[in-house]
């Protein structure tokens, strides 16, 4: 017989027994093992749940694309979701943005083990090596409370895969809670420190990285994010929020340097900004809007390489299918303004226009909205590059003849060249053969863009009216006067 029941039968005071029962019940409430666990879901249930989640996200995206308002209960959780981009809707977005295969950290050529910076999961033993930061017992008990369960879930989207394989070989994380120790492995980043201050301005970031090679910058950013993770100290969240805006400024700054940084480094910074946008959507959104305002006010028809990379990052971070968006909408208007009002006078102008055209197509890949400036610019560029000027244009689109002829001359020289990003800058020394190859590359690129536009808008009811003028331009290019001077790959 149960001892408590036996004592009660032998005359134990009832009130005293009830008091002991209540006390033991309270102890069980706070005992971790007594908490109910979630039932393990079957594979079919997991698939069904994921399908339902994707359907809900797609329905919300379509409502935003059509400019409709969402219900108030949905808006609560969608303010951050709207800034995360469409990568939760289209599974191939990472590949579309050239992010799917991962990128190397530092000088390593091995890709990260995760597909995207957003797949980070914070581990219990993730504390930067060489630092004296140790999670306190109060932090551990707070992690177990129900009120911070959702916040900890967001933290888990941060740090898994943060360090490259070289860094993982260098660091020993199995004793991180009691102080991690450096391993004795050597690699290409031995000259880098393991701790860095968290820059709160672009000047501070430049000062902190002035002795660091450009290829080591991704490793430095990784370590700053790990050292100043919001779980480690209360004021780290605010510091990391400011640091995220500094990264946006640094992205444009690096691209404008004459040294021409590697695109792998720019891609890494973009992925870090994309990850930080989950936690700091307003800060990063304001930083991008500041760059777009500067572009609009001071150089609308002469964007720098940094401006082009900022516009590219917008397409990677924010949902470009939204009907109205505080960052995407100004970005699209800036590109449309250039394509609609810029009069190309050089090959570099045409290269900038071609880059902005491809960005416009990427922005509209889901919503498929018609952008008239995009088609007009492509047709104008083809006519400018055509060996012979069209006889009649009938004012079907705005045509502008540059002061200096940019027409293709002979097909024998126009081979073996693809358009490159740095073609947006005017060459230091203009060589006739290089110019001829660049003209050929621009011409072939414009034909490809025209085909991409046709594939994008083939479902429009006005498709034939839209591309009727394009058909006439292509007829002119395929005529005898032009065909003999076009690149052989286009014939």
């Amino acid at each position: 017989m149960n001892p408590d029941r036996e004592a009660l039968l032998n005359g134990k005071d009832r009130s005293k027994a009830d008091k002991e029962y209540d006390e033991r019940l309270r102890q069980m409430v706070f005992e971790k093992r007594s908490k109910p666990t979630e039932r393990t879901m079957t594979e079919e249930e997991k698939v069904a749940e994921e399908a339902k989640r994707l359907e809900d996200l797609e329905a919300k995206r379509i409502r935003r694309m059509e400019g409709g308002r969402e219900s108030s209960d949905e808006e609560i959780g969608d303010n951050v979701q709207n800034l995360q981009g469409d990568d939760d809707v289209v599974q191939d977005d990472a590949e579309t943005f050239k992010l799917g295969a991962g990128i190397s950290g530092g000088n390593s050529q091995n890709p990260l083990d995760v597909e995207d910076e957003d797949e980070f999961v914070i581990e219990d033993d993730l504390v930067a090596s060489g630092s004296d930061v140790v999670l306190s017992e109060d932090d551990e008990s707070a992690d177990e409370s129900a009120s911070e369960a959702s916040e900890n879930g967001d933290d888990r989207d941060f740090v898994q895969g943060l360090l490259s394989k070289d860094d993982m070989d260098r660091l020993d994380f199995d004793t991180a809670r009691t102080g991690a120790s450096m391993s004795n492995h050597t690699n290409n980043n031995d000259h880098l420190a393991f701790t860095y201050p968290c820059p709160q301005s672009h000047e501070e970031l430049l000062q902190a990285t002035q002795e660091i090679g450009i290829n080591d910058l991704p490793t430095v950013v990784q370590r700053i994010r790990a050292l100043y993770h919001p779980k480690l100290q209360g004021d780290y969240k605010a510091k990391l929020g400011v640091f995220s805006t500094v990264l946006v400024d640094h992205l444009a700054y690096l691209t404008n340097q004459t040294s021409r940084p590697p695109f792998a480094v720019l891609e890494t910074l973009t992925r870090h900004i994309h990850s930080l946008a989950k936690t700091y959507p307003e800060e990063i959104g304001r930083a991008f809007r500041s760059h777009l305002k500067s572009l609009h006010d001071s150089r609308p028809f002469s964007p720098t390489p940094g401006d082009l990379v900022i516009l590219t990052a917008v397409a990677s971070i924010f949902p470009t299918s939204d009907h109205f968006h505080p960052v995407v909408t100004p970005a699209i208007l800036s590109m449309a303004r250039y394509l609609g009002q810029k009069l190309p006078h050089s090959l570099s102008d045409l290269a900038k226009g071609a880059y902005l055209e491809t960005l416009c197509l990427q922005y509209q890949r889901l919503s498929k909205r018609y952008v008239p400036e995009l088609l007009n610019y492509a047709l104008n560029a083809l006519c400018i590059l055509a060996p012979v000027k069209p006889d009649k244009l009938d004012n079907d689109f705005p045509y502008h003849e540059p002061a200096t002829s940019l027409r293709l001359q002979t097909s024998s020289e126009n081979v073996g060249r693809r358009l490159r990003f740095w073609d947006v800058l005017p060459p230091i020394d203009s060589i006739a053969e290089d110019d001829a190859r660049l003209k050929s590359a621009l011409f072939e690129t414009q034909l490809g863009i025209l085909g991409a536009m046709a594939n994008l808008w083939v479902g429009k009811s006005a498709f034939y009216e839209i591309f009727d003028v394009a058909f006439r331009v292509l007829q002119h290019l395929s005529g005898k006067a032009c065909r003999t001077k076009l690149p052989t790959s286009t014939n």
Side-chain angles (χ1 to χ4, degrees), residues 409-477:
Q409 298 301 324
T410 59
S411 61
S412 59
E413 297 176 350
N414 303 331
V415 292
R417 178 74 155 82
R418 294 192 63 182
L419 200 60
R420 297 189 291 262
F421 175 79
W422 297 112
D423 290 330
V424 301
L425 296 177
I428 299 176
D429 298 321
S430 180
I431 303 175
E433 182 178 356
D434 292 341
D435 289 347
R437 293 186 176 184
L438 179 54
K439 291 176 185 178
S440 174
L442 287 168
F443 186 83
E444 293 181 356
T445 300
Q446 291 296 344
L447 288 179
I449 291 173
L450 194 62
M453 284 189 281
N455 292 331
L456 183 67
W457 297 324
V458 67
K460 299 292 184 182
S461 58
F463 177 82
Y464 293 102
E465 289 80 2
I466 292 173
F467 285 92
D468 179 63
V469 60
F471 177 73
R472 294 200 295 273
V473 171
L474 293 177
Q475 278 185 321
H476 168 73
L477 295 175

Side-chain angles (χ1 to χ4, degrees), residues 49-335:
E49 183 181 31
E50 179 67 10
K52 180 64 167 59
R53 185 183 72 87
L54 294 177
E55 289 175 358
D56 292 341
L57 289 173
E58 175 68 6
K60 293 176 183 178
R61 185 194 66 80
I62 292 176
R63 283 198 294 272
R64 297 198 309 270
M65 182 178 70
E66 296 174 348
R69 293 185 57 83
E70 299 178 1
S71 59
S72 58
D73 58 336
E74 291 175 335
E75 290 177 349
I76 295 175
D78 285 345
N79 290 334
V80 176
Q81 175 68 33
N82 289 349
L83 290 176
Q84 291 175 9
D86 293 317
D87 51 339
D88 286 334
V89 180
V90 181
Q91 296 181 359
D92 293 336
D93 266 9
E95 186 64 25
T96 302
F97 299 142
K98 307 302 181 186
L99 306 178
I103 47 181
S104 59
N107 293 328
S108 172
Q109 299 299 321
N110 297 327
L112 295 178
D113 292 334
V114 294
E115 290 190 350
D116 188 49
E117 294 288 346
D118 294 335
E119 299 300 326
F120 297 154
V121 176
I122 186 167
E123 302 292 345
D124 291 337
D125 57 355
L126 184 55
V127 177
S129 177
S131 68
D132 296 326
V133 179
V134 179
L135 295 179
S136 64
E137 293 180 0
D138 293 338
D139 292 332
E140 295 175 2
S141 61
D143 292 343
E144 296 175 359
S145 65
S147 62
E148 294 188 358
S150 59
E151 181 179 350
N152 292 338
D154 294 336
D155 290 339
R156 293 190 184 93
D157 289 338
F158 179 68
V159 186
Q160 183 184 10
L162 189 64
L163 300 182
S164 64
K165 292 182 178 180
D166 287 344
D167 292 332
M168 292 297 293
D169 292 338
R170 189 199 321 228
L171 302 179
D172 182 13
F173 286 98
D174 57 353
T175 57
R177 277 196 180 273
T178 58
S181 61
M182 293 188 207
S183 69
N184 295 323
H185 297 300
T186 59
N187 51 53
N188 296 331
N189 294 331
D190 283 342
H191 59 284
L192 295 179
F194 287 95
T195 60
Y196 291 90
C198 187
Q200 298 299 285
S201 66
H202 190 231
E203 290 73 18
E204 292 182 10
L205 178 59
L206 293 177
Q207 184 177 2
T209 58
Q210 61 182 351
E211 302 296 334
I212 297 173
I214 185 64
N215 290 324
D216 294 327
L217 182 61
T219 304
V220 174
V221 174
Q222 289 170 353
R223 292 176 182 176
I224 291 176
R225 290 185 65 187
L227 284 167
Y228 291 89
H229 188 271
K231 269 188 90 170
L232 300 179
Q233 194 167 310
D235 59 341
Y236 282 179
K237 184 173 183 179
K239 288 185 176 181
L240 208 58
V242 177
F243 178 64
S244 65
T245 65
V246 173
L247 286 182
V248 177
D249 297 335
H250 200 55
L251 182 65
Y253 171 83
L254 285 179
T255 315
N256 288 331
Q257 299 304 298
T258 56
S259 56
R260 297 185 180 182
F263 279 98
V265 174
L266 302 179
E267 181 186 26
T268 307
L269 293 182
T270 302
R271 293 179 62 180
H272 278 293
I273 296 170
H274 181 242
S275 175
L276 289 166
K278 279 189 162 186
T279 309
Y280 310 102
E282 295 183 2
E283 291 86 345
I284 291 178
R286 284 195 296 267
F288 275 102
R289 284 178 59 87
S290 175
H291 280 276
L292 294 173
K293 187 176 187 303
S294 175
L295 171 62
H296 176 271
D297 294 340
S298 60
R299 51 189 183 279
F301 304 123
S302 56
T304 64
D307 296 327
L308 300 180
V309 170
I310 287 293
L311 292 170
T312 307
V314 169
S316 302
I317 296 171
F318 302 101
T320 57
S321 65
D322 281 15
H323 195 272
F324 300 104
H325 192 278
V327 178
V328 175
T329 301
I332 294 177
L333 292 176
S334 297
M335 292 187 292

